[in-house]
Amino acid sequence: MAWPLHPDVIFWMLVLEGGYLALVRRGVRRRPLENRITRRQITLYSIGVFVLWVASGTPIHDWGEKYLFSVHMTEHLLITMVAPPFLLLGTPDWLVRPFLTRRWVFPVARVLALPIVAIIVFNVTTLFTHLPAFVDFVLRHHPWHFVAHVVLFVTAVIMWWQVFSPLPELPRLRFSGQMIYLFAQSLVPSIVGSFLTYGTTILYPFYEQAPRHWGLTAYEDQVLAGLIMKLFGFAVIFGLMTVI
């Protein structure tokens, strides 16, 4: 279980955490009565950054990139289903608002904040990034693998915005809307997971050729990846529906 440091990952995590703390500190100093931040928000945001580091800077990333599709699936779920809600819950509205003042940003954000658009953008990205040809390509070309993870993360933030938006200008869905939205969001990952779980052939040549570990065959690894996708996603989404 070698644990490379991944300086690039550490750099980006420091940018996310340090940039957030610097902007928060400057905002509170400039307008102490208007710009307020709680310890809970800082903690939640920091947990989100920590989850991103766990997904990208620990052996989870290395094993998923080299050996096991099931571990790769776990990495994707941490990036898309766990980290974004924490980051959004930890972001105050006044921190995001200045970024919307540019002429083209707010109109684009309003379109992306439409529930149907958010669901389509995220789920089309999810489907595309799980196509065998795409997975094989990014695993053999590391820079594109990084780009794929960034796109997955950004589209996941767009998807979760409907539930955890910090901005009244781009508000969260109401109670009933959140129920319908989250249920709809659970469908596509379940379909993709079912193809992986119930398929009779190995879909990903890269993992079929990879060295075998933990006593898993390539087919068993693929089935496990499908189960993780379905059950993990089910637990997150229906857990949130229960809380809401």
Side-chain angles (χ1 to χ4, degrees), residues 182-205:
L182 288 172
F183 176 75
Q185 174 51 42
S186 70
L187 298 178
V188 171
S190 295
I191 294 171
V192 176
S194 295
F195 273 103
L196 298 175
T197 303
Y198 300 116
T200 57
T201 59
I202 299 173
L203 299 176
Y204 301 99

Side-chain angles (χ1 to χ4, degrees), residues 226-244:
L227 286 172
I228 290 171
M229 188 177 195
K230 289 200 299 181
L231 297 180
F232 190 98
F234 179 90
V236 171
I237 290 178
F238 285 90
L240 278 173
M241 291 174 69
T242 302
V243 172
I244 292 169

Side-chain angles (χ1 to χ4, degrees), residues 36-106:
R36 297 184 179 182
I37 190 81
T38 65
R39 288 185 179 180
R40 178 177 178 272
Q41 287 175 307
I42 294 175
T43 300
L44 290 171
Y45 183 91
S46 298
I47 291 173
V49 174
F50 177 75
V51 171
L52 287 177
W53 173 76
V54 168
S56 305
T58 69
I60 289 176
H61 171 76
D62 300 297
W63 277 69
E65 190 177 52
K66 297 177 182 178
Y67 307 122
L68 294 172
F69 184 47
S70 54
V71 179
H72 195 182
M73 183 67 74
T74 302
E75 180 184 11
H76 280 192
L77 290 170
L78 290 173
I79 291 172
T80 60
M81 303 297 288
V82 181
F86 281 108
L87 295 172
L88 288 172
L89 287 171
T91 304
D93 57 350
W94 55 266
L95 190 62
V96 182
R97 193 169 286 113
F99 295 100
L100 299 177
T101 56
R102 295 181 180 274
R103 182 177 301 176
W104 58 271
V105 174
F106 187 67

